[in-house]
Amino acid sequence: MPKSQVRKKKVYTPPTDVRPTTTSSSSRKPSPVWLPITAVALIVVGIGWLVLYYLSEQEYPVMAWGYWNLAVGFGAMVASLALLSRWR
């Protein structure tokens, strides 16, 4: 069995003055308490709005809005996703 070759070059390490500065995770502040609460509330409101719209045979929550009720329900859920993307 042939012997494996020994590495002749040393492993490259970049100089310390060229390395990018790393932002420590301790400098990032935690999310405020209201953020996850508001996001969950928006999810519940959005789902509730859509369920009420379909179960009432498109008479409630606002009959005059017609299919825009779908936009309100889905918009609330998308807004909650936008909030949750900021959560740390």
Side-chain angles (χ1 to χ4, degrees):
M1 183 73 124
K3 184 178 176 185
S4 63
Q5 294 195 6
V6 179
R7 182 180 285 248
K8 295 177 183 174
K9 293 182 180 180
K10 292 184 178 180
V11 177
Y12 174 74
T13 55
T16 57
D17 58 339
V18 179
R19 291 183 187 168
T21 58
T22 57
T23 57
S24 63
S25 61
S26 63
S27 66
R28 301 176 93 185
K29 295 180 182 177
S31 300
V33 176
W34 61 266
L35 194 135
I37 295 170
T38 306
V40 170
L42 280 171
I43 291 172
V44 170
V45 166
I47 292 173
W49 192 283
L50 293 173
V51 168
L52 181 63
Y53 177 68
Y54 278 114
L55 291 181
S56 68
E57 296 178 355
Q58 303 171 354
E59 290 184 21
Y60 297 107
V62 181
M63 186 176 177
W65 288 358
Y67 288 113
W68 284 103
N69 283 304
L70 296 174
V72 172
F74 285 116
M77 290 188 286
V78 168
S80 70
L81 287 174
L83 279 177
L84 287 174
S85 70
R86 295 291 187 174
W87 188 26
R88 289 187 198 127

